């Protein structure tokens, strides 16, 4: 069995075993948080393997007890005084496009946390295998960010207004709920995951039917629990179809007092604790995503993230990270402090388009599919 193994201390490991390629996110003590180097290596490996005729199947997994808890927030905080995080943001969103459109068959083996940018390495794949230990969430608004890494595209295509609910409340889904919502494809008990991986390593084919057949030997059909929020979709749709954050909050406050609606309280509490500006940005982004293509969503998300990191209208993102990850007092002081104080013109400024050369350069067709890298942009040339 031909096998190629990278430096075992690297933040991303790339293995080549016959016709299978394996990506292992390898920052277990940081819950496989996505750093600039993680993004850089991932893009290199995926481009190499897509162009390799011998590569048939690509498996994604995480070392330790998480798949990936998402972006490295401390990295953003340390870069708050300049544009030093622009490069990793550009590379990540450019990578998201290629993950969504990857030409080889892909399988994610997700045992543990899959949050934010980490979940963006799961849901777009052809096969996403989850276990009883898997937890999904997109909690960005709670730290002053917005639902990014292609999730304005993904969330806007979930059933009803579930996407708005997940984006605004940061609510968590378990494996069964991920499958029911279309965010994952198969449920496999964690104790069987290693055996499944061994089988996949020996399949030596990228044929989707063959891969599906192997996974289904190990997978179990599951149903969501009776108390699952996915059984509350009529109420979620009623509340989260409202046009504004203010109206959504008002609707939730009305519904939570009704018998049997106590499940609303945690989400309502989360929204009240989140950055008012981030909530407004997030809702608009997901709403726009309903009518946007994947490239349009990624270009928009890139603008939003850069403008947020540049504190164009507020420094909430750094206050949110400080409260969660630096001082850990969980007491962010948002500016402005209430939804009503957020100005419409400030939100417009965050959404304002960049000049064409400053937009993320998403490939227009397969002939230039791997063009548009950061190194080829005006950002790299001016740095």
């Amino acid at each position: 069995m031909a096998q190629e193994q990278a430096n075992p201390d690297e933040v991303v490991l790339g293995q080549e075993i016959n016709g299978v390629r394996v990506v292992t996110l390898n920052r277990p003590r940081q819950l496989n948080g996505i750093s600039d180097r993680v993004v850089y290596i991932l893009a290199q490996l995926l481009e190499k393997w897509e162009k390799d005729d011998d590569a048939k199947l690509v498996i994604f997994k995480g070392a330790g007890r998480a798949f990936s808890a998402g972006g490295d927030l401390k990295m953003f905080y340390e870069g708050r005084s300049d544009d030093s995080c622009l490069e990793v943001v550009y590379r990540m969103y450019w990578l998201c496009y290629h993950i969504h459109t990857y030409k080889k068959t892909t399988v994610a083996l997700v045992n543990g946390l899959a949050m934010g940018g980490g979940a963006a390495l799961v849901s777009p794949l052809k096969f996403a295998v989850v276990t009883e230990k898997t937890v999904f969430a997109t909690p960005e608004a709670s730290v002053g960010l917005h639902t990014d890494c292609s999730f304005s595209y993904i969330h806007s295509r979930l059933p009803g207004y579930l996407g708005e609910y997940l984006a605004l409340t940061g609510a968590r889904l378990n494996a069964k709920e991920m499958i029911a919502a279309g965010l994952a494809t198969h449920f496999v008990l964690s104790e069987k995951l290693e055996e499944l991986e061994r089988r996949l390593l020996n399949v030596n084919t990228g044929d989707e039917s063959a891969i599906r057949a192997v996974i289904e030997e190990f997978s179990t059909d599951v149903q969501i629990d009776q108390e699952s929020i996915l059984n509350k979709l009529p109420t979620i749709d009623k509340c989260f179809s409202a046009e504004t954050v203010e109206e959504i909050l008002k609707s939730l406050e009305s519904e939570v007092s009704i018998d049997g609606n106590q499940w609303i309280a945690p989400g309502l509490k989360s929204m009240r604790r989140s950055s008012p500006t981030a909530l407004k940005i997030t809702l608009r982004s997901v709403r726009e995503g309903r009518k946007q293509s994947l490239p349009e969503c990624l270009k928009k998300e890139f603008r939003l993230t850069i403008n947020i990191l540049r504190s164009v209208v507020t420094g909430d993102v750094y206050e949110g990270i400080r409260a969660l990850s630096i001082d850990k007092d969980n007491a962010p002081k948002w500016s402005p402090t209430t939804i009503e104080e957020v100005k419409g013109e400030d939100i417009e400024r965050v959404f304002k388009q960049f000049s064409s050369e400053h937009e993320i350069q998403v490939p227009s067709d397969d002939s230039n599919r791997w063009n548009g890298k950061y190194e080829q942009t005006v950002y790299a040339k001016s740095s």
Side-chain angles (χ1 to χ4, degrees):
M1 179 180 289
Q3 178 169 337
E4 183 176 314
Q5 173 69 59
N7 173 7
D9 296 323
E10 187 55 271
V11 295
V12 178
L13 306 181
Q15 287 179 282
E16 300 184 1
I17 305 170
N18 294 332
V20 182
R21 306 293 180 261
V22 183
V23 167
T24 303
L25 304 176
N26 192 40
R27 302 180 74 207
R29 282 187 284 185
Q30 295 81 25
L31 300 179
N32 297 321
I34 299 173
S35 65
D36 50 356
R37 183 149 183 84
V38 168
V39 176
Y40 181 78
I41 296 174
L42 270 176
Q44 282 195 320
L45 290 174
L46 292 180
E47 179 177 3
K48 173 188 175 185
W49 293 340
E50 188 177 281
K51 294 176 177 178
D52 180 0
D53 290 340
D54 293 331
K56 312 295 184 185
L57 171 68
V58 179
I59 297 173
F60 292 70
K61 64 179 185 176
R65 61 191 178 92
F67 178 82
S68 173
D72 186 335
L73 296 180
K74 290 183 180 179
M75 171 185 67
F76 291 124
Y77 192 81
E78 290 165 358
R80 65 193 180 279
S81 61
D82 54 35
D83 255 358
S84 62
C85 288
L86 188 150
E87 179 178 344
V88 66
V89 172
Y90 185 101
R91 290 186 187 279
M92 182 63 188
Y93 293 1
W94 185 86
L95 177 62
C96 284
Y97 173 82
H98 291 84
I99 288 171
H100 273 267
T101 60
Y102 204 62
K103 303 300 184 184
K104 302 294 174 78
T105 304
T106 49
V107 178
L109 302 178
V110 188
N111 192 34
L113 291 176
M115 302 175 74
L121 306 178
V122 175
S123 295
L125 303 194
K126 187 65 183 180
F127 301 103
V129 177
V130 289
T131 78
E132 75 280 2
K133 297 180 181 179
T134 306
V135 178
F136 167 95
T138 48
E140 291 81 5
S142 67
V143 293
L145 267 166
H146 67 103
T147 304
D148 67 336
C149 293
S150 78
F151 269 100
S152 70
Y153 180 82
I154 295 169
H155 275 343
S156 60
R157 284 154 179 80
L158 296 182
Y161 290 86
L162 177 63
E164 281 88 341
Y165 169 79
L166 295 173
L168 293 172
T169 67
R172 295 185 170 200
L173 298 182
N174 62 32
K176 298 174 184 178
E177 292 167 328
M178 289 178 70
I179 291 170
L183 293 164
T185 60
H186 294 83
F187 180 91
V188 173
L189 290 171
S190 59
E191 63 193 33
K192 296 183 179 180
L193 210 56
E194 284 189 17
E195 188 181 351
L196 168 59
E197 183 181 354
R198 284 195 294 270
R199 282 291 305 279
L200 289 172
L201 291 175
N202 288 294
V203 170
N204 205 30
T205 179
D207 180 75
E208 290 178 7
S209 297
I211 301 302
R212 182 180 292 105
V214 171
I215 295 172
E216 289 178 351
E217 288 180 32
F218 294 84
S219 67
T220 304
D221 289 335
V222 290
Q223 302 295 323
I224 57 175
D225 300 328
Q226 187 174 351
E227 65 272 18
S228 169
I229 59 100
L230 293 188
N231 285 324
K232 317 292 186 184
L233 278 180
T235 303
I236 287 174
D237 291 349
K238 179 180 178 181
C239 296
F240 286 84
S241 60
E243 288 192 15
T244 67
V245 175
E246 293 92 328
E247 290 171 325
I248 290 172
L249 286 168
K250 184 177 179 180
S251 182
L252 289 170
E253 287 160 357
S254 174
E255 291 289 329
V256 75
S257 61
I258 299 173
D259 283 347
N261 275 354
Q262 290 76 18
W263 61 271
I264 291 174
L268 182 57
K269 180 180 179 181
S270 176
M271 287 184 67
R272 286 172 174 160
R273 289 173 57 89
S274 293
S275 158
T277 303
L279 289 175
K280 290 249 182 181
I281 293 169
T282 295
L283 178 61
R284 175 168 166 180
S285 179
V286 174
R287 284 285 157 81
E288 288 186 356
R290 290 176 173 268
K291 298 179 180 179
Q292 291 175 324
S293 65
L294 174 64
E296 288 170 335
C297 283
L298 289 170
K299 288 180 180 182
K300 170 197 63 188
E301 291 175 10
F302 176 70
R303 293 192 295 268
L304 296 180
T305 300
I306 296 306
N307 283 331
I308 289 170
L309 292 177
R310 287 174 173 172
S311 301
V312 167
V313 297
T314 178
D316 274 3
V317 64
Y318 300 116
E319 175 61 12
I321 296 172
R322 179 205 64 76
L324 178 69
S325 299
I326 308 300
D327 297 336
K328 300 182 180 179
D329 57 24
N330 290 312
K333 296 177 175 59
W334 306 122
S335 178
T337 58
T338 67
I339 289 289
E340 292 73 21
E341 292 175 282
V342 180
K343 297 177 181 178
E345 56 264 35
D346 283 344
I347 301 301
E348 290 296 332
R349 287 172 64 196
V350 179
F351 276 83
K352 186 176 180 181
Q353 289 195 353
F354 294 165
S355 64
S356 59
E357 63 181 3
H358 287 91
E359 297 278 13
I360 187 170
Q361 305 299 305
V362 178
S364 57
D365 57 60
D366 285 349
S367 66
N368 63 357
R369 177 166 165 71
W370 292 94
N371 290 350
K373 294 183 177 71
Y374 175 80
E375 291 85 352
Q376 300 164 338
T377 68
V378 294
Y379 295 116
K381 293 170 186 173
S382 61
S383 62

